[in-house]
Amino acid sequence: MSCRLPRRRFLHSASALGLGAGLGSWELLRGITPAAEDAKVGPEMVRLRPEIEPVVRWIEETPQDKVFEKAVAELKGGLSYQALLGGLFLAGIRNIQPRPVGYKFHAVMVINSAHMLAQSAPFSERLLPLFWALDNFKSSQAQDVKEGDWALGPVDEPRVPRPHQAKADFVKAMDEWDVSAADVAVAGLCRGSGAAESMEPFWRMGVRDQRDIGHKAIFTAQSWRTLQAIGWEHAEPVLRCLAYGLLYLGDDRPGPIGPYATNLENARKIRDDWQVGKSDPGATRALLATLRQASPEEASAEAVKLLGQGIAPGSLWDAVVLHSSELIMRNPGILAIHATTAANSLHYIFGASGDDTTRKLALLQAVGWQPMYRQRIKSPKPLTIDELQGETPTGTGEEAVGEIFAAVDGDRALAAAKTTAYLERGGSTKSIFDAARRMIFHKGTGSHDYKYGAAIWEECVAATDPKWQPRLAAAAMFNLPGAGKADSPLMIRARDAVANVMG
């Protein structure tokens, strides 16, 4: 999804999708980029770095109905994209309780998804996801106030371990589900270790527990990814918040939900050179068939068997994402969405970790979690993603893409069939997801529009076998916004704010 789409082509493409009205106002955002203001922090709250603290404060303190005008004025005064992104993320880290990991805390977890989609957007639209995220944060902040007004407090400095002890202390505290010990250990870990070393134990903790339908893995991956955009210097409060969320138990006894203990044993059975193997669509189909009927433990055992037969990990990842997308086709909703977004996060952790066992666990957990989603989802439609049939659109190029997204509103299965045919006949996957991104920006109304859109695009591009890309893109039509959906009231309000301040 190139960010260098020529203006004429962009407007033509937008018109094909029914997005022509009001786009001119966003052109006013060109050229605005760091004004800061002094602010005080109460003793009950963690103090952030001085260069970002003022930005966080105006985000925290500006009323929701004024926040767009304030943001545009700050951008006009020189506030950078990175500072706005970082301020938004850290405002959520400091103000919104990550327990349970989900619900109102999506205001934090969705920031990287919004950023990912923004980076590939035409220049005039690149700030739209951050406007949406601003309003989303203000809503979550208000909800948090109603529920007790949680805030991330300062570190208990006398208890912070020395750098050489911090990692071991952190692992011990996480294994024992000890919140206070983990908090001070995180501070010592961040202060005495590099970024990669600090994250390694978090990768392991992020993959161990499916509690909160996979949000712990999502929070872990999104924290690291957002820090890559805003700077590792902000890591300490972020990782303290992450550790606090990862140790959430709800009403359960300490211990992970899902096949973690089994997969620790399974990881020891995998051959040493497991990362070297052959890509095999037949093995992908075999694992997909297993995921449709097996238990979590049986599915993980099948993955170990396939790896032992010399199958490349990528072919197993293809099966995981195909299965999660099939769940979207059968019964779109929160659980099916998280089957994809959690798989995407585990896949990211698989690529980011430098520990062989953690990488094995990320894959085995991704396989083992899919039956857990399947078992909770009622699937009235017996659709199978590898047997999707195509229906050729009447138009070509951008007109065909517009036809696909017009079909979404009345018949998602037809939109999927048209997507399949369009892509299998040489159509552009990029054009499909360029259009999907615009649908999300202008018509999306919730965090999951952004989270799912970013995740399925990334997984579609990452498919080991390109033959699966049309199927993954087609399945996405069961969840993406369509061209006939009304523009988001929030985006209309943001557009008016831009016009008022910039006009």
Side-chain angles (χ1 to χ4, degrees), residues 483-502:
K485 185 176 181 179
D487 281 357
S488 162
L490 184 153
M491 279 303 168
I492 295 172
R493 184 160 59 86
R495 189 170 63 214
D496 290 344
V498 170
N500 290 338
V501 178
M502 299 296 295

Side-chain angles (χ1 to χ4, degrees), residues 438-449:
R438 292 185 208 123
M439 293 295 103
I440 293 167
F441 284 5
H442 293 276
K443 302 172 185 296
T445 55
S447 299
H448 295 103
D449 290 320

Side-chain angles (χ1 to χ4, degrees), residues 183-463:
D183 186 65
V184 292
V186 171
L189 185 63
C190 290
R191 296 171 192 180
S193 303
E197 183 180 1
S198 296
M199 280 306 300
E200 203 57 66
F202 276 99
W203 296 138
R204 180 67 64 87
M205 295 301 109
V207 307
R208 72 172 173 172
D209 189 6
Q210 203 256 4
R211 187 180 275 105
D212 293 331
I213 60 173
H215 277 126
K216 292 185 178 184
I218 295 168
F219 186 16
T220 305
Q222 297 291 58
S223 294
W224 167 259
R225 300 181 77 165
T226 310
L227 283 167
Q228 299 308 290
I230 68 174
W232 182 254
E233 63 269 22
H234 303 297
E236 184 175 315
V238 174
L239 297 190
R240 288 179 60 217
C241 184
L242 174 58
Y244 183 65
L246 291 175
L247 291 176
Y248 176 67
L249 291 168
D251 296 326
D252 301 320
R253 294 180 179 180
I257 299 295
Y260 183 70
T262 298
N263 282 333
L264 276 172
E265 292 298 320
N266 283 332
R268 299 185 182 100
K269 301 174 184 177
I270 296 174
R271 58 191 171 90
D272 291 339
D273 60 345
W274 66 284
Q275 296 182 62
V276 179
K278 60 182 179 181
S279 297
D280 184 349
T284 298
R285 289 179 182 274
L287 182 56
L288 178 59
T290 298
L291 292 172
R292 289 171 179 153
Q293 49 81 34
S295 69
E297 292 76 15
E298 290 167 343
S300 298
E302 179 67 13
V304 173
K305 175 183 173 183
L306 290 169
L307 290 170
Q309 293 172 352
I311 302 300
S315 292
L316 277 60
W317 280 112
D318 284 352
V320 169
V321 180
L322 285 165
H323 183 265
S324 72
S325 294
E326 187 171 283
L327 294 179
I328 284 282
M329 293 166 51
R330 292 185 171 194
N331 194 359
I334 292 299
L335 287 172
I337 287 170
H338 287 89
T340 294
T341 56
N344 172 249
S345 295
L346 290 167
H347 201 175
Y348 184 85
I349 292 170
F350 172 85
S353 175
D355 182 86
D356 193 61
T357 298
T358 299
R359 301 189 78 229
K360 291 175 182 176
L361 285 168
L363 175 56
L364 294 174
Q365 291 285 84
V367 172
W369 287 8
Q370 285 301 309
M372 298 177 70
Y373 291 112
R374 188 201 74 234
Q375 290 164 0
R376 292 184 60 183
I377 295 172
K378 295 180 180 180
S379 301
K381 305 170 188 174
L383 301 173
T384 51
I385 193 168
D386 52 335
E387 297 178 356
L388 276 173
Q389 300 299 309
E391 181 168 326
T392 305
T394 57
T396 59
E398 292 168 356
E399 286 74 19
V401 175
E403 185 180 329
I404 288 167
F405 279 89
V408 164
D409 300 292
D411 190 341
R412 290 185 180 271
L414 176 61
K418 288 178 179 288
T419 302
T420 302
Y422 169 75
L423 293 177
E424 289 185 342
R425 287 165 173 76
S428 167
T429 307
K430 173 185 175 299
S431 293
I432 292 290
F433 281 98
D434 279 348
R437 184 196 57 238
R438 292 185 208 123
M439 293 295 103
I440 293 167
F441 284 5
H442 293 276
K443 302 172 185 296
T445 55
S447 299
H448 295 103
D449 290 320
Y450 285 84
K451 279 176 59 185
Y452 176 78
I456 192 57
W457 164 244
E458 190 168 63
E459 291 304 322
C460 188
V461 171

Side-chain angles (χ1 to χ4, degrees), residues 34-39 48-62 70 74 79-88 90-91 94 134:
E37 52 192 297
D38 292 332
L48 304 173
R49 291 179 64 88
E51 69 271 20
I52 200 67
E53 180 67 47
V55 182
V56 175
R57 290 300 284 180
W58 71 252
I59 292 172
E60 291 172 338
E61 295 172 357
T62 304
K70 176 65 173 175
E74 291 289 334
L79 181 69
S80 70
Y81 174 94
Q82 184 184 41
L84 180 56
L85 179 75
L88 255 172
L90 294 168
R94 185 160 77 182
L134 270 170

